[in-house]
Amino acid sequence: MKKYGRLACEACGFEFKLAYGPLAEGIIDVHHTKPVHTLTEGDKTKVEDLALLCANCHRVVHSSRQWLSVKKLRELIQVK
């Protein structure tokens, strides 16, 4: 929010506030690009290890055993 003034999905650009109004301001999913199950004790999640995704894109990223990267999902969305 501080950097861009909005919370938008990094894959499709969806913004909850624009679609649902002020009630949805600040809503977004946070995806760990480094799977949580691979972290070891003492590991710290960095901001660079997180991606903001809408609920739909987050679901698609996790829809297969081999997770899609945010970049790959972005490419798939472009092919309509």
Side-chain angles (χ1 to χ4, degrees), residues 36-50:
V36 174
H37 75 274
T38 66
L39 302 176
T40 58
E41 189 175 336
D43 281 349
K44 298 206 183 222
T45 301
K46 300 177 186 92
V47 172
E48 300 83 36
D49 298 331
L50 303 173

Side-chain angles (χ1 to χ4, degrees), residues 29-32 53-63 73:
D29 281 8
V30 178
H31 169 67
H32 288 83
L53 298 175
C54 70
N56 287 340
C57 286
H58 200 185
R59 177 73 177 160
V60 172
V61 165
H62 286 281
S63 66
L73 179 58

Side-chain angles (χ1 to χ4, degrees), residues 2 6 8-11 14 18 45 49 54 56 61 69 73:
K2 287 179 184 177
R6 65 191 190 105
C9 177
E10 293 181 34
F14 182 82
L18 293 179
T45 301
D49 298 331
C54 70
N56 287 340
V61 165
S69 68
L73 179 58

